[in-house]
Amino acid sequence: MVIKYLSALILPGMVVILFSRVTYNHVIGLILSVALIAASVYKGYTDTWWLIIVDAFSLTVGFWYSTQMLQKKRTKAR
């Protein structure tokens, strides 16, 4: 059970960052990550509300970080 919560705390945020780096757009990265989380909820891997809340928190932190990262990259390129 602890492994599920630890994974939910780290992995969704990292996936948002990965997708943002690949697509060069933080919104598309967030949408793809939410689609993966929705698929895991549909399949039954996410079974409690607390796990969904931890996933959402991780997605929010990953989205914030990827926004900061892409803004730095854009200002550095100018």
Side-chain angles (χ1 to χ4, degrees):
M1 190 61 129
V2 173
I3 298 295
K4 270 189 176 182
Y5 284 99
L6 189 59
S7 296
L9 188 61
I10 296 171
L11 293 179
M14 291 178 65
V15 169
V16 171
I17 294 167
L18 174 75
F19 284 150
S20 297
R21 292 286 297 195
V22 170
T23 62
Y24 296 107
N25 191 338
H26 59 281
V27 175
I28 302 274
L30 180 67
I31 291 170
L32 291 172
S33 300
V34 168
L36 285 175
I37 298 296
S40 73
V41 170
Y42 179 73
K43 283 295 219 176
Y45 297 121
T46 307
D47 51 0
T48 64
W49 280 102
W50 285 109
L51 200 55
I52 294 170
I53 291 169
V54 172
D55 279 337
F57 175 74
S58 180
L59 287 170
T60 304
V61 171
F63 181 72
W64 172 81
Y65 183 76
S66 64
T67 302
Q68 299 298 317
M69 178 183 60
L70 291 176
Q71 283 179 353
K72 280 185 185 179
K73 187 174 181 178
R74 287 181 186 141
T75 58
K76 189 177 182 181
R78 290 182 186 191

